[in-house]
Amino acid sequence: MSEAADTLRALAATLEQRKGADPDTSYVARLHHKGLDAILKKVGEEATEAVVAAKGGDREQIVYETADLWFHTLVMLSASDVPVDAVLAELERRAGRSGIEEKAARGE
Ligand SMILES: N=c1c2ncn([C@@H]3O[C@H](COP(=O)(O)OP(=O)(O)OP(=O)(O)O)[C@@H](O)[C@H]3O)c2ncn1[C@@H]1O[C@H](COP(=O)(O)O)[C@@H](O)[C@H]1O
């Protein structure tokens, strides 16, 4: 797979390791310590911040907020015991298939 996929995989591996780390020294461990609801709240906040950034049109801000969103989404996957490879495989499966075609196949 691509270098981008490798980057996501490497980050996901770090996040798995941090699950059981000390909440005093690891932000990821602190999130897990707070629990799933706190992680999901964070994903929601970061999604909103990314949307606001995109609306504002500042490229640097869009990149920064999207990175925050992707990071927190990876923490969510980790908390849900879903490997990042499952999401990457789903995107691979969809590659080359138009969203319109896919929707029609669902009868919508
Ligand atoms: N990629 C990230 C990453 N992106 C963002 N963040 C943190 O996510 C938080 C973003 O939340 P906000 O912007 O809302 O800022 P905040 O007010 O400090 O956050 P809250 O107190 O509201 O949760 C900040 O504390 C950032 O530092 C990250 N923290 C960690 N990582 C990666 O995760 C790895 C493990 O991190 P630790 O668990 O801290 O060792 C690191 O080596 C990095 O690779």
Side-chain angles (χ1 to χ4, degrees):
M1 236 183 244
S2 68
E3 264 181 51
D6 287 343
T7 302
L8 289 175
R9 271 207 199 93
L11 178 54
T14 303
L15 300 186
E16 274 313 299
Q17 288 170 358
R18 293 294 198 278
K19 250 182 177 177
D22 182 353
D24 286 337
T25 55
S26 161
Y27 175 74
V28 174
R30 192 172 298 177
L31 279 177
H32 285 290
H33 192 72
K34 286 181 183 170
L36 182 62
D37 283 359
I39 293 169
L40 300 182
K41 185 164 176 269
K42 210 64 200 153
V43 172
E45 285 170 10
E46 299 300 347
T48 303
E49 285 172 20
V51 168
V52 169
K55 187 73 183 162
D58 182 322
R59 189 181 182 282
E60 207 175 309
Q61 200 62 24
I62 294 169
V63 169
Y64 187 90
E65 296 300 349
T66 303
D68 269 357
L69 175 59
W70 287 16
F71 162 72
H72 283 89
T73 304
L74 289 176
V75 176
M76 177 189 78
L77 288 178
S78 173
S80 305
D81 289 323
V82 174
V84 71
D85 274 323
V87 179
L88 292 171
E90 177 62 16
L91 288 172
E92 284 277 317
R93 192 186 65 78
R94 295 179 188 182
R97 186 167 194 197
S98 155
I100 292 172
E101 205 180 286
E102 188 274 335
K103 197 170 179 173
R106 277 191 279 127
E108 286 179 29

Short mmCIF file of all heavy atoms in Angstrom, two decimals, residues 12-35:
data_model
loop_
_atom_site.label_atom_id
_atom_site.label_comp_id
_atom_site.label_asym_id
_atom_site.label_seq_id
_atom_site.Cartn_x
_atom_site.Cartn_y
_atom_site.Cartn_z
N ALA A 12 -1.11 4.30 14.13
CA ALA A 12 -2.04 3.39 14.81
C ALA A 12 -1.30 2.43 15.74
O ALA A 12 -1.77 2.12 16.84
CB ALA A 12 -2.86 2.61 13.78
N ALA A 13 -0.11 1.98 15.31
CA ALA A 13 0.68 1.07 16.15
C ALA A 13 1.12 1.79 17.43
O ALA A 13 1.08 1.22 18.53
CB ALA A 13 1.89 0.56 15.37
N THR A 14 1.53 3.05 17.28
CA THR A 14 1.92 3.85 18.47
C THR A 14 0.72 4.01 19.40
O THR A 14 0.84 3.87 20.62
CB THR A 14 2.42 5.25 18.03
OG1 THR A 14 3.51 5.10 17.13
CG2 THR A 14 2.85 6.10 19.23
N LEU A 15 -0.44 4.27 18.81
CA LEU A 15 -1.64 4.48 19.63
C LEU A 15 -2.01 3.22 20.41
O LEU A 15 -2.44 3.30 21.57
CB LEU A 15 -2.82 4.94 18.76
CG LEU A 15 -2.61 6.25 17.99
CD1 LEU A 15 -3.89 6.69 17.29
CD2 LEU A 15 -2.11 7.36 18.90
N GLU A 16 -1.83 2.04 19.78
CA GLU A 16 -2.10 0.77 20.48
C GLU A 16 -1.19 0.65 21.70
O GLU A 16 -1.63 0.27 22.79
CB GLU A 16 -1.85 -0.42 19.55
CG GLU A 16 -3.02 -0.81 18.68
CD GLU A 16 -4.35 -0.91 19.41
OE1 GLU A 16 -4.51 -1.71 20.34
OE2 GLU A 16 -5.24 -0.13 19.03
N GLN A 17 0.10 0.99 21.49
CA GLN A 17 1.07 0.91 22.60
C GLN A 17 0.70 1.84 23.74
O GLN A 17 0.88 1.53 24.90
CB GLN A 17 2.47 1.28 22.11
CG GLN A 17 3.12 0.24 21.22
CD GLN A 17 4.40 0.77 20.59
OE1 GLN A 17 4.77 1.93 20.78
NE2 GLN A 17 5.07 -0.07 19.82
N ARG A 18 0.19 3.03 23.37
CA ARG A 18 -0.11 4.04 24.39
C ARG A 18 -1.39 3.75 25.19
O ARG A 18 -1.64 4.39 26.21
CB ARG A 18 -0.26 5.43 23.75
CG ARG A 18 1.01 5.98 23.17
CD ARG A 18 2.06 6.27 24.26
NE ARG A 18 3.07 7.16 23.78
CZ ARG A 18 4.12 6.78 23.06
NH1 ARG A 18 4.30 5.51 22.78
NH2 ARG A 18 5.00 7.67 22.64
N LYS A 19 -2.18 2.81 24.71
CA LYS A 19 -3.44 2.48 25.39
C LYS A 19 -3.22 2.24 26.89
O LYS A 19 -3.99 2.70 27.71
CB LYS A 19 -4.05 1.22 24.77
CG LYS A 19 -5.30 1.44 23.98
CD LYS A 19 -5.80 0.08 23.47
CE LYS A 19 -7.08 0.21 22.72
NZ LYS A 19 -7.52 -1.09 22.17
N GLY A 20 -2.17 1.50 27.19
CA GLY A 20 -1.93 1.14 28.59
C GLY A 20 -0.85 1.98 29.24
O GLY A 20 -0.32 1.60 30.29
N ALA A 21 -0.50 3.12 28.62
CA ALA A 21 0.58 3.96 29.17
C ALA A 21 0.07 4.81 30.35
O ALA A 21 -1.11 4.75 30.72
CB ALA A 21 1.15 4.84 28.07
N ASP A 22 0.97 5.59 30.90
CA ASP A 22 0.66 6.43 32.06
C ASP A 22 -0.09 7.70 31.61
O ASP A 22 0.46 8.48 30.82
CB ASP A 22 1.98 6.80 32.74
CG ASP A 22 1.78 7.64 33.99
OD1 ASP A 22 0.63 8.06 34.26
OD2 ASP A 22 2.79 7.90 34.67
N PRO A 23 -1.31 7.93 32.10
CA PRO A 23 -2.08 9.11 31.70
C PRO A 23 -1.38 10.44 32.05
O PRO A 23 -1.72 11.47 31.50
CB PRO A 23 -3.39 8.97 32.48
CG PRO A 23 -3.46 7.56 32.87
CD PRO A 23 -2.07 7.06 33.01
N ASP A 24 -0.40 10.37 32.96
CA ASP A 24 0.32 11.61 33.33
C ASP A 24 1.30 12.02 32.24
O ASP A 24 1.68 13.19 32.14
CB ASP A 24 1.07 11.43 34.65
CG ASP A 24 0.12 11.43 35.83
OD1 ASP A 24 -0.99 11.99 35.68
OD2 ASP A 24 0.47 10.86 36.88
N THR A 25 1.74 11.03 31.44
CA THR A 25 2.77 11.34 30.43
C THR A 25 2.30 11.10 28.99
O THR A 25 2.99 11.49 28.05
CB THR A 25 4.05 10.50 30.68
OG1 THR A 25 3.66 9.11 30.71
CG2 THR A 25 4.72 10.86 31.97
N SER A 26 1.16 10.46 28.83
CA SER A 26 0.67 10.17 27.47
C SER A 26 -0.73 10.74 27.28
O SER A 26 -1.67 10.40 28.02
CB SER A 26 0.64 8.65 27.26
OG SER A 26 -0.21 8.31 26.18
N TYR A 27 -0.86 11.60 26.26
CA TYR A 27 -2.18 12.19 25.94
C TYR A 27 -3.16 11.09 25.54
O TYR A 27 -4.34 11.13 25.92
CB TYR A 27 -2.02 13.21 24.81
CG TYR A 27 -3.33 13.78 24.32
CD1 TYR A 27 -4.03 14.72 25.08
CD2 TYR A 27 -3.88 13.38 23.11
CE1 TYR A 27 -5.24 15.24 24.64
CE2 TYR A 27 -5.10 13.90 22.66
CZ TYR A 27 -5.77 14.83 23.43
OH TYR A 27 -6.97 15.33 22.99
N VAL A 28 -2.67 10.11 24.77
CA VAL A 28 -3.54 9.02 24.30
C VAL A 28 -4.03 8.18 25.48
O VAL A 28 -5.22 7.86 25.57
CB VAL A 28 -2.78 8.14 23.26
CG1 VAL A 28 -3.60 6.93 22.86
CG2 VAL A 28 -2.42 8.98 22.03
N ALA A 29 -3.12 7.88 26.38
CA ALA A 29 -3.51 7.11 27.58
C ALA A 29 -4.54 7.90 28.39
O ALA A 29 -5.51 7.32 28.93
CB ALA A 29 -2.28 6.81 28.43
N ARG A 30 -4.36 9.21 28.45
CA ARG A 30 -5.31 10.06 29.20
C ARG A 30 -6.70 9.98 28.58
O ARG A 30 -7.70 9.90 29.30
CB ARG A 30 -4.79 11.51 29.19
CG ARG A 30 -5.51 12.41 30.16
CD ARG A 30 -4.86 13.77 30.27
NE ARG A 30 -3.49 13.70 30.77
CZ ARG A 30 -2.69 14.74 30.89
NH1 ARG A 30 -3.09 15.93 30.54
NH2 ARG A 30 -1.47 14.60 31.37
N LEU A 31 -6.75 10.00 27.24
CA LEU A 31 -8.05 9.89 26.56
C LEU A 31 -8.73 8.56 26.91
O LEU A 31 -9.91 8.53 27.24
CB LEU A 31 -7.86 9.98 25.05
CG LEU A 31 -7.70 11.38 24.43
CD1 LEU A 31 -7.45 11.26 22.93
CD2 LEU A 31 -8.94 12.24 24.67
N HIS A 32 -7.95 7.46 26.84
CA HIS A 32 -8.53 6.14 27.16
C HIS A 32 -8.98 6.08 28.61
O HIS A 32 -10.01 5.47 28.93
CB HIS A 32 -7.52 5.02 26.87
CG HIS A 32 -7.35 4.75 25.40
ND1 HIS A 32 -8.33 4.17 24.64
CD2 HIS A 32 -6.33 5.01 24.56
CE1 HIS A 32 -7.92 4.07 23.39
NE2 HIS A 32 -6.71 4.57 23.31
N HIS A 33 -8.20 6.72 29.47
CA HIS A 33 -8.52 6.74 30.89
C HIS A 33 -9.88 7.44 31.12
O HIS A 33 -10.66 7.03 31.95
CB HIS A 33 -7.40 7.47 31.65
CG HIS A 33 -7.47 7.31 33.13
ND1 HIS A 33 -7.17 6.13 33.76
CD2 HIS A 33 -7.82 8.18 34.10
CE1 HIS A 33 -7.33 6.29 35.06
NE2 HIS A 33 -7.73 7.52 35.29
N LYS A 34 -10.13 8.48 30.31
CA LYS A 34 -11.40 9.23 30.44
C LYS A 34 -12.58 8.41 29.90
O LYS A 34 -13.72 8.66 30.27
CB LYS A 34 -11.32 10.55 29.67
CG LYS A 34 -10.45 11.61 30.35
CD LYS A 34 -10.47 12.88 29.51
CE LYS A 34 -9.58 13.96 30.07
NZ LYS A 34 -9.42 15.09 29.13
N GLY A 35 -12.28 7.49 28.95
CA GLY A 35 -13.34 6.60 28.44
C GLY A 35 -13.83 6.94 27.05
O GLY A 35 -13.50 8.00 26.49
#
